[in-house]
């Protein structure tokens, strides 16, 4: 991978992390009145996705969807304003963190209901097939979502109708406080199960950005050339509590040792170090990228804070339409 590509990956990862760190920092002020599910620690796959997908293709995501929205090119100001419940938000302040959408880049939505966006993503692929648009539909999901019935219905439908869907499962080993070991039989592979349903699959270690890039690029090419669905499973790890701005390693469902071990595998930190060691000029370039991003993030929070709340007269707009 060239240095330019690596620097771009660094930029993508740093931007996503800076946004979510700022959300975590401001959250205790009590102005964001919706739950937030942060994906700090999981930035590598969204960053790789950002490099490989443009705005023409569709994407949908989950309750933990900030990174996917940003990776697809979703408007940052509109996302932060949405989390602040402001009328300038991407869902006009009515949806909050779990209802992100930016139609201008075909980011078609996220949902608070686990598994809910999967059939929507498959339906978008059906629309692309019927209209012969050559778009593909990318469906982000967690390991927990593969335990929902609708996941199997959707995968089956995508296989039978040969739809251009790229499923991207970010397996962060947990569903809320339940590890995979108490939810699925020992030794079962999610990807192998999906392969048995008729899909091509690939599995990767999400924090290896170079191999993840290659795996995802190959999968996107396959979906585009065959028009058929493909399932990707990447291992990753969330640092913060399941829902909220804090940490929850003390409540007993995972150990501090496990958490610290995953921190050493942080793709952002590791890439930062690798790039700095690669040339003496790199430090300045990376510092410049960081300060530009920090300014952009600060301005997004100012935009959100200074935006108006939706008027009461709009309270039921779109609800019973
Ligand atoms: C249908 C449904 N069941 C349960 C929940 C509660 N819930 C919210 S997030 C979550 C965990 C989902 O785990 P996973 O898909 O692995 O995503 P992660 O949170 O790890 O990113 C659960 C069970 C929900 N929101 N919707
Ligand atoms: Mg999970």
């Amino acid at each position: 991978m060239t240095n330019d590509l690596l620097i771009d990956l660094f930029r993508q990862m740093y931007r996503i992390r800076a946004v979510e760190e700022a959300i975590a920092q401001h959250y205790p002020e009590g102005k964001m009145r919706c739950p937030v599910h942060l994906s700090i620690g999981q930035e590598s796959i969204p960053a790789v996705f950002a490099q490989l997908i443009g705005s023409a293709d569709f994407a949908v995501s989950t309750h933990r969807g900030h990174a996917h929205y940003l990776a697809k090119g979703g408007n940052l100001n509109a996302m932060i304003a949405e989390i602040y419940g402001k009328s300038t938000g991407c869902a006009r302040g009515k949806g909050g963190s779990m209802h992100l959408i930016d139609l201008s880049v075909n980011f078609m939505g996220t949902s608070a209901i686990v598994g809910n966006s999967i059939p929507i993503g498959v339906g978008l692929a059906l629309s692309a097939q019927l209209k012969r648009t050559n778009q593909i539909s990318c469906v982000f999901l967690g390991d927990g979502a593969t335990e929902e019935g609708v996941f199997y219905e959707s995968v089956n439908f995508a296989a039978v109708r040969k739809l251009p869907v790229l499923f991207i499962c970010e397996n962060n080993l947990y569903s809320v406080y339940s590890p995979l070991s108490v939810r699925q039989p020992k030794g079962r592979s999610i990807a192998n199960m999906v392969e048995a349903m008729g899909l091509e699959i690939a599995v990767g270690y999400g924090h290896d950005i170079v191999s993840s890039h290659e795996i995802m690029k190959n999968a996107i090419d396959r979906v585009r050339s065959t028009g058929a669905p493909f399932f990707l499973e990447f291992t990753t790890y969330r640092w913060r509590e399941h829902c909220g701005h804090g940490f929850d390693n003390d409540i007993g469902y995972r150990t501090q040792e496990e958490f610290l071990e995953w921190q050493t595998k942080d793709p952002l930190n590791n890439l930062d170090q690798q790039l700095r060691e690669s040339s003496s000029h790199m430090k300045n370039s990376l510092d410049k990228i960081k300060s530009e991003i920090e300014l952009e993030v600060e301005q997004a929070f100012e935009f959100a804070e200074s935006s108006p709340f939706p008027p009461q007269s709009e309270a039921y707009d779109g609800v019973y339409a």
Side-chain angles (χ1 to χ4, degrees), residues 49-59 72 106 125 128-129 132-138 162-167 200 216-230:
F49 180 74
Q51 277 193 338
L52 294 170
I53 281 282
S55 58
D57 295 308
F58 293 121
K72 192 70 174 65
N106 285 319
Q129 187 189 62
R132 300 174 198 275
T133 62
N134 205 30
Q135 290 160 292
I136 72 167
S137 179
C138 306
K162 204 177 171 226
L163 300 179
V165 191
L166 178 64
F167 296 96
E200 273 192 76
M216 196 185 291
K217 183 172 185 321
N218 174 57
I220 291 170
D221 290 347
R222 284 295 291 165
V223 177
R224 238 185 260 294
S225 63
T226 62
F230 198 112

Side-chain angles (χ1 to χ4, degrees), residues 63-64 112-114 142-145 148 172 174-176 242:
H63 56 286
R64 203 178 301 287
I113 302 171
V114 173
D143 47 298
E148 294 288 350
N172 63 6
Y174 292 91
S175 171
V176 191
H242 162 69

Side-chain angles (χ1 to χ4, degrees), residues 15-78:
R15 183 167 180 262
I16 294 168
R17 180 156 312 171
V19 170
E20 288 211 309
E21 286 288 356
I23 294 171
Q25 185 200 326
H26 288 289
Y27 200 77
E29 294 164 8
K31 295 179 186 167
M32 294 175 237
R33 304 299 296 267
C34 60
V36 288
H37 299 77
L38 303 176
S39 57
I40 296 172
Q42 301 189 188
E43 295 86 352
S44 50
I45 295 304
V48 165
F49 180 74
Q51 277 193 338
L52 294 170
I53 281 282
S55 58
D57 295 308
F58 293 121
V60 294
S61 175
T62 70
H63 56 286
R64 203 178 301 287
H66 302 160
H68 309 131
Y69 170 96
L70 293 172
K72 192 70 174 65
N75 184 288
L76 174 61
N77 283 0

Side-chain angles (χ1 to χ4, degrees), residues 209-276:
I209 45 174
V210 176
S211 75
S212 295
H213 189 277
E214 198 180 310
I215 290 170
M216 196 185 291
K217 183 172 185 321
N218 174 57
I220 291 170
D221 290 347
R222 284 295 291 165
V223 177
R224 238 185 260 294
S225 63
T226 62
F230 198 112
F231 185 88
L232 287 173
E233 179 184 350
F234 291 107
T235 317
T236 185
Y237 197 77
R238 105 177 117 71
W239 289 7
R240 301 261 171 169
E241 59 188 332
H242 162 69
C243 178
H245 67 287
F247 292 88
D248 62 0
N249 304 324
D250 55 330
I251 65 173
Y253 77 98
R254 62 184 191 181
T255 62
Q256 184 72 1
E257 289 70 41
E258 178 184 288
F259 170 74
L260 292 174
E261 196 192 323
W262 274 96
Q263 285 212 311
T264 66
K265 302 175 189 168
D266 178 13
L268 176 59
N269 218 354
N270 292 343
L271 181 58
D272 194 338
Q273 265 180 26
Q274 182 192 327
L275 286 170
R276 272 164 208 268

